[in-house]
Amino acid sequence: MTTPTPTPPGARPVRLLIVDDDPLVRAGLTLMLGGADDIDIVGEGTDGSEVAALVDRLRPDVVLMDIRMPVMDGLSATEALRARPDAPEIVVLTTFHADEQVLRAIRAGAAGFVLKDTPPAQIVESVRRVAAGDPVLSPAVTRQLMARAAGPGHEEREGRAERARRRLALLADREREVAVAVGQGRSNAEIAAALYLSVATVKTQVSRILAKFDFNNRVQIALLVHDAGLLEDDDEGDASLS
């Protein structure tokens, strides 16, 4: 069960843009998310082609983005948006969870991937967590993502693992420990407690890792750690990303 993220007194509400071509879905999401005191829905879009202009005008912190839209799909819109400086965080919302869609969204820089049948309270919490810098994946999506290593042949898996291990070898020892903890789905506070560091130090270490690998978010760190074979026996890490 996800523990609600406390809202600091006086904190600015999360500015949220909802993008979905189905007016009923938009209405439902607006009703669901609009009831949260710490989330301010600043606008709605009906297609990925509208997102850039809406972001320029509304300056959201988070975009809740559908995948299937008629003119420009949500994945293309995510790729275009995250390539820009100061891009908002993006939570991809969809009715399906094919591996290639998950991976494309993550590689594009999406910080969350949530199924539309996710309970309303969890969707609200996902927006909060992404705004706070924590990645979010639905449990079903996480299981698929972590199982993807079993799909390719042995040689391809070994090649990917070797490449991932070489990249991780570029990290200092403490950075590598933090990277593995991120791969286990731990929050900054949990990593700090486990490694006897301050939360500020953990944030600095995560920022250094992102910069070294030119990553957009923590989920990409988790993928690298997984590809290196460092999470294979870690069942708890799968659950904690949910």
Side-chain angles (χ1 to χ4, degrees):
M1 180 177 178
T2 302
T3 302
T5 301
T7 304
R12 180 176 67 83
V14 176
R15 294 175 61 81
L16 177 67
L17 172 65
I18 297 173
V19 184
D20 195 298
D21 64 317
D22 187 332
L24 291 179
V25 172
R26 291 199 309 276
L29 290 171
T30 298
L31 181 64
M32 178 195 314
L33 293 155
D37 293 337
D38 56 345
I39 295 177
D40 181 13
I41 299 175
V42 296
E44 298 179 10
T46 62
D47 189 81
S49 61
E50 302 173 0
V51 172
L54 287 170
V55 167
D56 286 339
R57 180 164 58 88
L58 301 172
R59 300 295 179 185
D61 301 307
V62 178
V63 178
L64 189 57
M65 183 101 70
D66 187 28
I67 281 186
R68 288 180 169 173
M69 292 182 285
V71 179
M72 177 184 284
D73 63 74
L75 295 179
S76 297
T78 296
E79 289 167 344
L81 191 58
R82 290 298 299 175
R84 299 167 43 164
D86 301 321
E89 299 294 348
I90 297 173
V91 177
V92 174
L93 188 66
T94 185
T95 55
F96 62 103
H97 45 84
D99 286 353
E100 64 273 12
Q101 304 293 344
V102 177
L103 292 173
R104 185 179 166 194
I106 291 171
R107 286 172 179 147
F113 196 105
V114 179
L115 301 181
K116 286 185 178 178
D117 60 3
T118 299
Q122 290 186 23
I123 294 179
V124 173
E125 184 61 18
S126 295
V127 171
R128 291 176 176 144
R129 286 181 58 185
V130 166
D134 290 329
V136 175
L137 297 177
S138 292
V141 172
T142 302
R143 285 192 293 272
Q144 274 199 306
L145 187 59
M146 292 304 144
R148 82 188 238 276
H154 176 75
E155 290 186 4
E156 184 176 342
R157 290 199 305 272
E158 286 299 310
R160 188 170 60 214
E162 179 59 30
R163 289 191 297 273
R165 286 192 287 266
R166 283 201 302 267
R167 297 190 77 184
L168 288 172
L170 299 174
L171 300 178
D173 290 344
R174 182 60 84 185
E175 290 172 342
R176 188 174 184 276
E177 290 176 339
V178 170
V180 171
V182 169
Q184 293 167 339
R186 300 189 185 199
S187 67
N188 287 341
E190 291 168 338
I191 296 172
L195 299 181
Y196 303 101
L197 300 171
S198 69
V199 172
T201 298
V202 172
K203 288 181 179 178
T204 298
Q205 297 282 5
V206 170
S207 295
R208 287 176 179 169
I209 296 166
L210 293 172
K212 282 187 176 182
F213 295 141
D214 196 25
F215 284 165
N216 287 299
N217 59 60
R218 297 160 67 106
V219 182
Q220 292 167 309
I221 298 175
L223 276 176
L224 184 66
V225 171
H226 175 263
D227 283 347
L230 301 181
L231 301 179
E232 290 177 355
D233 299 320
D234 187 358
D235 291 332
E236 286 188 8
D238 177 86
S240 62
L241 274 171
S242 63

